[in-house]
Amino acid sequence: MIRKYRIGNPIPTDSVIEDIPVSQDGIPYFNVDEEAKELSLFLEKEDKIFGLGETVRGMNKRGWLYTSNNTDDPNHTENKHSLYASQNFFVVLSKKRKFGVYVDTPGKVSFDIGYTSLDKLAVVFEDFDADIYIVTGEGVLDIVTGFRKIIGRSYIPPRWAFGFGQSRWSYMTADEVREVADKYEEAGIPLNMIYLDIDYMERYKDFTVDESSFPEFPKFVEEMKTRGIHLVPIIDAGVKIEEGYDVYEEGVKRGFFVKKDNGENLVAAVWPGRVHFPDFLNDEARAWFGDKYKVLTDQGIDGFWNDMNEPAIFYTEDHLGEVFEQIEDFKGKNLDIDSFFAFKELVGSIDNNPEDYKRFYHEYKGRKIRHDKVHNIFGYNMTRAAGEAFERISPDKRILMFSRSSYIGMHRYAGVWHGDNQSWWSHLLLNIQQLPALNMCGFLYTGADIGGFGSDTTEDLVLRWTAFGIFTPLFRNHSALGTRRQELYGFENIPSFRNIVRLRYALIPYLYSEFMKAAMGSRMLFKPLCFEYGDDRSSQVEDQLLLGESIMLAPIYTQNAEGRYVYLPEDMKLVRFRAYDDYDEEIMNAGDHYVRAGLDEILVYVRKGHALPLAEPGQGLEEVTASQLKYICYEAEPKSYELYSDDGISRL
Ligand code: MIG
C-alpha cells in the first residue's frame, strides 16, 4: 500500500506517474520538525536501511550522511556525501517492521542515517517542500515492487546492448577505433560496442563529428555495423558558444538556454570552453534539444551516453571574473598561514561551485525557478529530452542510452553508469554494493567502468572485475585519458579474458530474460541475500548478490586473494567455470565456506529448484528458443525455466 503526504509546496519532478491523492493524516513513523526542516525516526537496533541508489559505502546505509546534491566528483571515497545521482528511495527493514520511504524533491536533501546520532534517522531538507510516499507491503520485495509501479516501467535497451563494449577517453580517429575492433577480432574476444568519447566531435560541439579524424562518418558507422559493432557517441550537457554553430545559434534565437536573473544567457565553461546550458526543464527547449539527436541517428547511430549533466561546471564567467579580481590582492604578497589557504581556497573554488548553481534560472512548468532548487533533476531532464525524442525519431526500434547524472523518473528513459570510479579494488566492491540500491530505485540497465576509470589498473584487477562485470547489464570497459591502457587484448592472459567474455555471451539468454522480467514486473534484478532469505546471517552479507531467480554471486574483490569466504543461506550447486563449456559442478551445504577461485575462474552458485540456461556464445545475442539452450540445475532432474524471448529491438 502506498500513501502520499505533502510538506509545504513542492516543485513537481514527474518521477511518480500514478495519481495518488494527498493524505491529510500525519506522516506515519516520522516526527516532523518544521523548524529544523526535518523528518526523523528512532532506529531500533535491528533496523537496516537499504536503497538510496548510487551512493558511497555499503548495502546497509546505516552510519553515514548521504546528501542528494548531484555532483561531478571522480573520487568515490567513503568520506563523500554526494555523487552524481539523487535517488531518494529507501527501505527500513527488520523482522519487526518494514516500510519504504520516497522523498520526492528536486532540491537538496540529506539522509542522516545514524550519523549525528547512532539511533536516529533524519531526513533534513534545505527547503521544507516535498512529497513523501510511505510504502508498505508483506515483504521488502513487495515494497520495492509497489514503489516501482508508481514510478513507471524501467527503460529497456536493445538486446545488443547486452554485448561487451570497449571504451576509452582518447580514441582520436576512426583508424584508432578500427584498430580496437581489429585487435579484439584477432584476440577472439567478442565485442559489440565501441564508445566514442568527446574526441569524435568537432571541438567538443554536441551533434558534430570531426570531419578530418572521422571522415565520412555514416560510412564508418555502417562499416563497423557490418562487423557487428555499434558506435556509441557521448553527448555533453553544455553547448559551445560559437558563431555559425547551428545548435548555439538556434538556442540563442529561440531563448532555450538557461538565463541569469538579468535575462542574459549564463556563460559557463566545460570542454569546449565557453558554453550555454539548454534549459532541459522547459518543455519546448527539451523537445528542441532532443530532436538534435536525429543528426546522429540519421548517420546510423543507435546508442548514446549523456555526460557532464549534473551539470559539471569548470567555471562560470562571472565567478571567474570575481576570482581574477580578488587574486590581485595576493599578488607579490608573502603568502603565510592565513593568506596561503585563503588563496588556495579562492583558486580551488572555481569548478562546481555551489554559488554558481544559484546564478541561473529555469522556465519550469510556467514558473521561473532558480537552478539550485531543481538541481537534481537537470541531468534527468537532459536524458528525458533524448528519450522523448527517440519515441518520435525511432518509433519502432529501441535506442541504447545511459546517463551519468540521474534522479528517479529518468529510469523510464535510460540506464546509468556509475561515473568516474578508479582502478581500485574497493571500487569493485562499491560496484557490487550499488547495484541492488539502483534496482530499488528503478535503474536496471546499469554498470560501472570495468577495470576502473581513473588511475592505472592492473591485469588481475581487470580479470576479477571483468569476471564480475559479465553479470551486469551494462558491460563496458572504460578508462581515462592518461591512465594505463586496459583494453583486454593488451594483457598477457588473453585466453582467460576470451573465456570470461564468451561466458557472458553464453549467459545472455538468462541475463536478458531476468532483466526483462524485472522490467516488466517492476522487480529487482540484483538483490541482497536478506531480501529473499530471512535468517540473521543473510542480513549481514554485504558482498554477495542474488542475480535473477536462479543464481547467487560471491565475487572476489581483493588483490592477491586465492579465494574468499562465502555464505550459503541454503544448499546450492557451485559451478566453477573456466569457460562456458568447461566447468565443474559441486553441491555445497548451507553455511560458511572458504571457496578458492583462480584468476581465470568464474564461480556461480545455482539455487535449489532453479535452472541456469546457457547458450553457445555465438548465439547469445540472437532470439533463442528454450530447446536451443543447455541447463545447469541443482537437482538431477532439469527444472523448468521461463525464458523471455523477443526480437530484441522492437519497442515494447
Ligand atoms: O571530466 O568525456 O564520466 O566517462 O570519459 C571528464 C571525458 C569528462 C567524464 C565521464 C567519463 C568521460 C570523460 N568525462
Side-chain angles (χ1 to χ4, degrees):
M1 203 182 70
I2 300 188
R3 303 203 71 180
K4 174 178 177 179
Y5 305 86
R6 180 156 289 173
I7 300 169
N9 187 13
I11 299 169
T13 65
D14 298 347
S15 56
V16 172
I17 57 167
E18 212 167 286
D19 224 347
I20 301 170
V22 176
S23 163
Q24 299 309 319
D25 306 340
I27 306 174
Y29 304 107
F30 288 96
N31 290 317
V32 181
D33 185 338
E34 298 265 349
E35 211 161 300
K37 297 186 193 167
E38 71 168 44
L39 306 178
S40 65
L41 71 93
F42 179 74
L43 290 175
E44 294 180 19
K45 201 167 159 284
E46 308 77 43
D47 286 332
K48 295 191 166 55
I49 314 297
F50 290 92
L52 294 184
E54 197 184 308
T55 45
V56 296
R57 301 205 173 208
M59 290 186 194
N60 179 357
K61 306 313 291 184
R62 236 177 131 154
W64 190 238
L65 177 73
Y66 305 88
T67 301
S68 286
N69 181 34
N70 295 356
T71 307
D72 171 20
D73 184 340
N75 287 304
H76 312 163
T77 44
E78 64 181 275
N79 57 328
K80 296 301 163 67
H81 301 287
S82 308
L83 297 179
Y84 313 89
S86 295
Q87 295 151 345
N88 304 336
F89 174 67
F90 62 91
V91 167
V92 177
L93 180 65
S94 74
K95 284 212 171 100
K96 269 199 260 162
R97 60 174 182 177
K98 33 185 91 64
F99 57 94
V101 182
Y102 177 45
V103 178
D104 191 13
T105 167
K108 196 169 175 178
V109 58
S110 289
F111 300 88
D112 179 339
I113 308 181
Y115 169 73
T116 303
S117 158
L118 277 178
D119 298 327
K120 186 180 157 190
L121 183 157
V123 184
V124 188
F125 294 82
E126 193 163 85
D127 293 311
F128 210 32
D129 299 296
D131 280 333
I132 309 292
Y133 296 82
I134 302 290
V135 193
T136 49
E138 283 252 319
V140 60
L141 294 174
D142 303 309
I143 291 169
V144 171
T145 294
F147 171 64
R148 292 265 305 279
K149 282 194 171 140
I150 66 162
I151 58 171
R153 198 182 74 194
S154 298
Y155 162 76
I156 295 172
R159 184 168 43 213
W160 56 258
F162 283 77
F164 177 52
Q166 180 63 54
S167 185
R168 178 169 170 87
W169 173 12
S170 70
Y171 294 148
M172 305 304 289
T173 64
D175 278 340
E176 256 188 76
V177 172
R178 284 190 185 99
E179 188 184 318
V180 172
D182 292 345
K183 290 201 165 153
Y184 267 102
E185 208 173 291
E186 277 164 36
I189 302 174
L191 183 72
N192 283 102
M193 282 155 278
I194 298 181
Y195 289 84
L196 301 180
D197 209 316
I198 47 176
D199 310 296
Y200 79 90
M201 294 184 229
E202 191 204 317
R203 274 168 296 138
Y204 310 121
K205 286 184 296 195
D206 279 340
F207 313 113
T208 66
V209 177
D210 191 312
E211 259 297 306
S212 56
S213 43
F214 289 84
E216 297 184 275
F217 193 62
K219 265 200 196 154
F220 179 50
V221 174
E222 188 50 38
E223 171 196 324
M224 297 306 283
K225 242 182 218 169
T226 54
R227 303 179 66 173
I229 292 172
H230 298 256
L231 293 178
V232 184
I234 195 170
I235 303 291
D236 280 6
V239 170
K240 183 170 172 37
I241 298 177
E242 186 183 280
E243 293 306 320
Y245 168 38
D246 57 344
V247 184
Y248 160 72
E249 289 191 341
E250 275 175 43
V252 170
K253 202 158 89 207
R254 302 179 65 182
F256 286 160
F257 294 125
V258 295
K259 294 181 185 51
K260 299 191 288 185
D261 205 17
N262 65 8
E264 285 171 17
N265 292 332
L266 176 85
V267 179
V270 206
W271 295 114
R274 297 195 183 97
V275 298
H276 289 322
F277 290 119
D279 188 356
F280 301 117
L281 274 66
N282 169 328
D283 292 343
E284 272 181 77
R286 195 164 65 239
W288 164 75
F289 190 83
D291 282 335
K292 294 290 166 211
Y293 283 77
K294 189 164 183 295
V295 171
L296 289 160
T297 55
D298 280 350
Q299 301 183 61
I301 292 296
D302 45 15
F304 297 91
W305 47 310
N306 291 339
D307 190 22
M308 305 295 272
N309 50 3
E310 293 70 29
I313 298 181
F314 291 175
Y315 61 84
T316 59
E317 196 151 74
D318 289 334
H319 181 227
L320 196 67
E322 292 160 17
V323 171
F324 277 129
E325 253 171 49
Q326 290 169 37
I327 233 167
E328 286 294 320
D329 301 343
F330 294 93
K331 239 184 185 168
K333 263 199 186 156
N334 169 21
L335 297 181
D336 62 8
I337 179 158
D338 302 312
S339 52
F340 174 71
F341 288 102
F343 174 74
K344 214 176 138 182
E345 201 177 293
L346 179 67
V347 176
S349 73
I350 294 174
D351 57 337
N352 301 326
N353 187 310
E355 291 306 310
D356 277 337
Y357 294 109
K358 298 180 183 163
R359 288 182 199 261
F360 59 101
Y361 293 78
H362 296 274
E363 281 299 326
Y364 186 44
K365 300 190 189 281
R367 283 160 71 188
K368 178 176 166 183
I369 301 182
R370 203 173 71 189
H371 175 80
D372 59 313
K373 307 284 178 198
V374 286
H375 175 69
N376 293 335
I377 59 172
F378 185 78
Y380 154 27
N381 277 282
M382 174 194 182
T383 299
R384 178 179 176 186
E388 287 172 343
F390 294 155
E391 287 167 25
R392 302 187 290 272
I393 298 168
S394 175
D396 304 323
K397 287 186 179 172
R398 307 175 207 167
I399 301 274
L400 167 63
M401 178 165 59
F402 51 90
S403 168
R404 191 171 73 179
S405 183
S406 65
Y407 184 89
I408 291 174
M410 201 197 82
H411 71 287
R412 298 193 295 271
Y413 303 98
V416 293
W417 91 99
H418 303 217
D420 295 346
N421 59 8
Q422 302 271 346
S423 298
W424 297 340
W425 291 85
S426 59
H427 279 183
L428 168 50
L429 175 61
L430 185 65
N431 182 182
I432 297 164
Q433 291 174 325
Q434 285 179 335
L435 286 165
L438 276 159
N439 284 187
M440 289 171 72
C441 298
F443 293 89
L444 294 180
Y445 188 77
T446 70
D449 290 349
I450 290 165
F453 174 75
S455 309
D456 292 332
T457 201
T458 57
E459 182 166 353
D460 53 346
L461 177 60
V462 183
L463 276 164
R464 292 293 196 201
W465 208 327
T466 310
F468 174 66
I470 63 169
F471 298 101
T472 62
L474 169 58
F475 178 35
R476 179 177 82 143
N477 177 310
H478 180 47
S479 57
L481 174 76
T483 60
R484 179 180 182 179
R485 296 204 67 127
Q486 61 189 44
E487 291 84 0
L488 304 184
Y489 54 72
F491 294 109
E492 282 172 0
N493 289 293
I494 290 179
S496 305
F497 282 114
R498 186 187 304 137
N499 288 332
I500 294 171
V501 178
R502 282 192 186 168
L503 177 60
R504 158 66 170 219
Y505 282 75
L507 287 166
I508 288 174
Y510 176 71
L511 297 173
Y512 187 68
S513 292
E514 293 304 309
F515 181 95
M516 292 305 289
K517 287 185 242 173
M520 299 304 215
S522 302
R523 299 205 294 263
M524 294 169 70
L525 184 60
F526 289 101
K527 283 163 279 190
L529 300 195
C530 65
F531 279 31
E532 290 214 16
Y533 297 97
D535 58 294
D536 288 341
R537 265 296 272 121
S538 283
S539 72
Q540 299 291 303
V541 178
E542 287 265 337
D543 58 359
Q544 299 177 203
L545 291 167
L546 298 169
L547 165 51
E549 62 165 60
S550 303
I551 62 177
M552 181 183 82
L553 305 172
I556 290 184
Y557 55 87
T558 45
Q559 190 157 30
N560 300 318
E562 289 167 13
R564 55 161 286 173
Y565 282 96
V566 179
Y567 173 70
L568 270 60
E570 62 177 336
D571 298 351
M572 291 185 183
K573 175 183 268 184
L574 165 62
V575 188
R576 180 182 294 275
F577 285 101
R578 283 169 297 276
Y580 81 95
D581 56 356
D582 175 16
Y583 54 87
D584 303 321
E585 304 172 52
E586 180 191 341
I587 297 289
M588 291 181 75
N589 295 329
D592 284 288
H593 300 265
Y594 187 82
V595 182
R596 293 185 177 275
L599 275 178
D600 56 346
E601 292 179 323
I602 306 107
L603 273 48
V604 172
Y605 299 81
V606 178
R607 296 171 67 185
K608 263 186 184 170
H610 295 279
L612 176 66
L614 284 178
E616 288 288 322
Q619 264 183 338
L621 284 176
E622 270 144 44
E623 192 167 354
V624 287
T625 56
S627 61
Q628 286 168 287
L629 303 171
K630 187 162 102 185
Y631 296 87
I632 300 178
C633 313
Y634 174 94
E635 294 81 0
E637 283 292 297
K639 289 286 159 191
S640 71
Y641 177 74
E642 188 199 332
L643 188 73
Y644 180 96
S645 197
D646 61 13
D647 68 7
I649 194 76
S650 299
R651 279 185 185 273
L652 298 159

